[in-house]
Amino acid sequence: MANALESYIDHTVSVITNDGRQIVGTLKGFDQTINLILDESHERVYSNTQGVEQVVLGLYIIRGDNIAVIGEVDDDTDSSLDLSNIKAEPLNPVVH
Amino acid sequence: MRNIAIPYLIDCQVNRHNLILNFKIPLFYSFFKSLVGKDVVVELKNDLSICGTLHSVDQFLNIKLTEITVTDPDKYPHMSKNCFIRGSVVRYVQLPADECDTQLLQDAARKEAAQSKQ
């Protein structure tokens, strides 16, 4: 009855962390506590004033405690995004 | 397909004469399983609200939503069609009133509370 992340494996995913960061990468692995292995990952920093900044991270393990949302990214839609023109408020951190 | 709650063991006591096993039937897990396929709005602890169709839920109440839209003004320029939400960050799950039999839920919750008191 596992609601698994298996269908996201080897797909590009966007992870929202508890401190309000967005990290995009290829999901390589996960476990029961939702620790993730993300390959070719980069962080997207949004701001109200300038376009999106991308920080390249590489191969990352993100601990499940820190993960809020995992979104499956549609590569076509994603590549059509003009990141230098997107302005948005940064996300709030998770407050328990 | 019947939704069957799977009991899990929460306690086990052994004395000289017998073995006492204490099971807990996950109430809200069963409740959410009965809502699969319905449209819900999940409000998260980081103030994000995501509207979508409930695809599946697990024992930790992690939620998978499909056909998602962001209900609030797009502070969230995100472009997924589906997402997985970790149970620990959910603040509310909003559902239409007619999807939920509150009387049944209240009775079931009361029964569970009574059972766990023993």
Side-chain angles (χ1 to χ4, degrees), chain B residues 5-75:
Chain B
I6 299 170
Y8 61 90
L9 187 63
I10 57 166
D11 192 23
C12 173
Q13 291 167 344
V14 182
N15 59 31
R16 254 180 333 159
H17 304 290
N18 46 33
L19 174 69
I20 306 166
L21 297 176
N22 212 346
F23 284 94
K24 195 168 186 173
I25 304 228
L27 176 62
F28 281 96
Y29 174 39
S30 309
F31 174 61
F32 280 123
K33 285 209 292 181
S34 73
L35 292 180
V36 166
K38 305 277 178 19
D39 287 332
V40 297
V41 181
V42 181
E43 181 177 326
L44 305 178
K45 290 177 181 169
N46 60 6
D47 302 331
L48 206 54
S49 282
I50 305 179
C51 177
T53 311
L54 185 62
H55 175 272
S56 53
V57 68
D58 69 6
Q59 50 170 324
F60 304 111
L61 304 186
N62 295 327
I63 291 172
K64 222 177 185 181
L65 293 180
T66 55
E67 306 296 315
I68 59 177
T69 58
V70 187
T71 57
D72 295 345
D74 283 29
K75 295 167 63 172

Side-chain angles (χ1 to χ4, degrees), chain B residues 80-100:
Chain B
S80 321
K81 277 173 297 207
N82 48 36
C83 71
F84 172 96
I85 302 171
R86 199 168 192 269
S88 57
V89 295
V90 174
R91 185 185 289 139
Y92 303 123
V93 177
Q94 298 164 10
L95 5 127
D98 47 0
E99 285 174 8
C100 169

Side-chain angles (χ1 to χ4, degrees), chain A residues 1 3-5 7-8 14 16 18 22 33-34 46 64 67-72 89 92-96, chain B residues 29 33 44-48 56-59 62 64 75-80 82-86 88-89:
Chain A
M1 211 104 352
N3 169 28
L5 289 169
S7 60
Y8 292 3
S14 161
I16 312 278
N18 280 5
Q22 179 188 21
T33 55
I34 321 288
Y46 292 89
I67 290 173
V69 180
I70 303 170
E72 186 177 20
E89 250 174 59
N92 294 344
V94 168
V95 177
H96 288 283
Chain B
Y29 174 39
K33 285 209 292 181
L44 305 178
K45 290 177 181 169
N46 60 6
D47 302 331
L48 206 54
S56 53
V57 68
D58 69 6
Q59 50 170 324
N62 295 327
K64 222 177 185 181
K75 295 167 63 172
Y76 190 43
H78 204 53
M79 15 74 248
S80 321
N82 48 36
C83 71
F84 172 96
I85 302 171
R86 199 168 192 269
S88 57
V89 295

Side-chain angles (χ1 to χ4, degrees), chain A:
Chain A
M1 211 104 352
N3 169 28
L5 289 169
E6 272 185 60
S7 60
Y8 292 3
I9 286 264
D10 287 328
H11 289 176
T12 310
V13 294
S14 161
V15 179
I16 312 278
T17 59
N18 280 5
D19 53 359
R21 285 194 254 207
Q22 179 188 21
I23 301 180
V24 179
T26 311
L27 182 64
K28 286 300 185 183
F30 66 94
D31 68 0
Q32 275 291 62
T33 55
I34 321 288
N35 296 325
L36 300 184
I37 301 177
L38 280 188
D39 201 357
E40 299 162 349
S41 58
H42 52 271
E43 179 185 344
R44 290 194 184 157
V45 184
Y46 292 89
S47 95
N48 274 325
T49 49
Q50 17 161 250
V52 177
E53 179 196 349
Q54 297 213 76
V55 183
V56 172
L57 303 170
L59 180 60
Y60 253 42
I61 293 181
I62 308 180
R63 197 176 151 87
D65 298 347
N66 254 294
I67 290 173
V69 180
I70 303 170
E72 186 177 20
V73 171
D74 176 25
D75 289 314
D76 300 327
T77 324
D78 192 39
S79 44
S80 66
L81 279 182
D82 180 12
L83 290 174
S84 52
N85 269 330
I86 296 182
K87 295 189 175 49
E89 250 174 59
L91 289 172
N92 294 344
V94 168
V95 177
H96 288 283

